[in-house]
Amino acid sequence: MSPKPPPRFRDHYADGAWYDAEYVHIGGDIPYYEQVACETDGPILELACGTGRLTFPMAATGVKVVGVDNSTAMLARAEAKRAALPPSGRARVEFRFGDMRKVRFKEEFAAVVLGFNTLMHMTDDDDLLATLETARVHLEEDGLFHVDLHTPLPEIALNRDPEGRYDPEEMIAPNGDRYIVTENNQYDARRQINRMWFYYQKVDRDGYDLGEEQATLLELRVLFPRELDLFFRMAGLEMVGDWDDLERSAPFSGGGGRRVIQARARPGWTGIVLP
Ligand SMILES: C[S@@+](CC[C@H](N)C(=O)[O-])C[C@H]1O[C@@H](n2cnc3c(N)ncnc32)[C@H](O)[C@@H]1O
């Protein structure tokens, strides 16, 4: 048998419809963000909104949501979904192209949301700080910044066999083709960067491999608990809620694999990290 050709790489966010198909099984965070939306009169700023997976459920509670993202492909998909809404729904959702490290809008918001591990895309310290500052400067007085992300468990340090394919999931692509999606990762403990490969193997109805494999790569920063505490302080943000889960059932312990944070702009912030 001839050796398998290397996978063809493409950008993980190059196709919004593909993203929605790949993450169709993710939805456990939606009730939490609906609840967040119900707890405010809005408006909400959603950083890195992608295809609007969280934007639309939040807006459906009756608040205005502005979503910002730096992927035109993801925003095109979000805009197509927005166009399909009735006029009242359409009026509550707005998408803007922008980089969450840099955007500065005229408005202030009752809530700023950054969901689904996306803070971990900020692999560089300055980018991480800049993103947190973007959140702070857009909060109105008493406004809350909402973040959820992975928090590292000891297993993170276990690198996988580079040839291996792990955690298979079935995916039906937008054109109806069937894929098996698998993952692999290598963790750089010094840089705290988890390099995650996603492999898309096209298969027939019986699960037989149909040839060419595609792959995407995500580099995610692993944020240890006290490190993230410090970044929040450096950005002038004060945590007012910190939990292990999206149900907010247990205070953050660092042992649950997830971290759910609510923070407000630190009153009297002068730009100096307090001891
Ligand atoms: C994991 S997806 C999350 C999308 C959406 N929030 C969700 O929960 O489905 C990460 C998103 O972050 C966006 N993104 C990455 N870096 C960004 C940046 N610097 N500014 C704005 N968006 C960014 C990507 O384009 C992608 O849409």
Side-chain angles (χ1 to χ4, degrees):
M1 208 169 105
S2 55
K4 201 169 191 171
R8 188 162 57 86
F9 272 86
R10 57 175 179 78
D11 187 292
H12 194 72
Y13 302 121
D15 181 335
W18 184 282
Y19 174 90
D20 281 348
E22 182 174 357
Y23 291 100
V24 71
H25 56 285
I26 301 286
D29 50 358
I30 290 175
Y32 173 70
Y33 285 105
E34 285 170 338
Q35 186 62 34
V36 161
C38 287
E39 289 168 4
T40 163
D41 294 331
I44 295 175
L45 173 64
E46 187 191 355
L47 302 176
C49 61
T51 61
R53 194 182 62 83
L54 301 173
T55 322
F56 293 107
M58 288 193 289
T61 69
V63 296
K64 165 102 199 246
V65 186
V66 174
V68 57
D69 203 283
N70 71 347
S71 159
T72 48
M74 297 291 270
L75 284 181
R77 172 79 172 168
E79 282 293 1
K81 291 189 214 170
R82 178 178 170 272
L85 291 177
S88 58
R90 223 178 298 150
R92 283 200 300 275
V93 177
E94 187 187 336
F95 293 109
R96 299 178 188 172
F97 177 81
D99 186 325
M100 65 182 171
R101 296 166 294 185
K102 297 183 191 148
V103 288
R104 292 295 179 266
F105 299 126
K106 290 195 191 79
E107 314 98 292
E108 288 184 339
F109 296 83
V112 177
V113 163
L114 179 53
F116 198 20
N117 308 322
T118 305
L119 188 60
M120 298 169 74
H121 284 41
M122 299 296 104
T123 52
D124 178 88
D125 287 354
D126 291 341
D127 292 341
L128 176 58
L129 196 54
T131 299
L132 295 176
E133 281 174 347
T134 297
R136 190 195 74 239
V137 301
H138 288 97
L139 286 174
E140 57 186 45
E141 206 180 338
D142 297 328
L144 288 177
F145 175 39
H146 303 265
V147 185
D148 84 279
L149 73 167
H150 282 300
T151 196
L153 294 170
E155 302 87 90
I156 189 75
L158 298 177
N159 284 326
R160 287 168 157 173
D161 170 4
E163 300 301 320
R165 299 285 191 269
Y166 299 87
D167 301 337
E169 293 255 11
E170 185 187 63
M171 169 186 163
I172 306 298
N175 66 358
D177 287 345
R178 191 166 164 235
Y179 287 81
I180 299 298
V181 186
T182 49
E183 294 177 17
N184 202 330
N185 80 285
Q186 297 292 308
Y187 179 59
D188 179 337
R190 176 65 186 91
R191 294 173 62 233
Q192 292 180 208
I193 305 289
N194 194 19
R195 304 191 84 213
M196 295 196 66
W197 286 270
F198 297 86
Y199 300 96
Y200 307 87
Q201 181 61 62
K202 196 168 164 184
V203 292
D204 68 12
R205 285 175 41 167
D206 300 318
Y208 284 108
D209 181 341
L210 288 177
E212 190 187 308
E213 187 179 49
Q214 297 182 39
T216 64
L217 172 66
L218 277 185
E219 290 198 323
L220 296 175
R221 177 185 184 133
V222 171
L223 285 156
F224 285 87
R226 292 185 66 180
E227 175 186 16
L228 191 57
D229 293 350
L230 186 58
F231 270 98
F232 267 63
R233 289 175 62 201
M234 291 196 316
L237 288 162
E238 180 176 65
M239 292 186 194
V240 294
D242 198 6
W243 296 276
D244 262 350
D245 56 5
L246 288 159
E247 290 72 39
R248 294 181 263 187
S249 69
F252 179 61
S253 68
R258 180 139 298 276
R259 187 169 192 181
V260 179
I261 299 170
Q262 294 185 356
R264 61 176 181 151
R266 186 188 270 258
W269 169 245
T270 57
I272 298 164
V273 185
L274 301 175

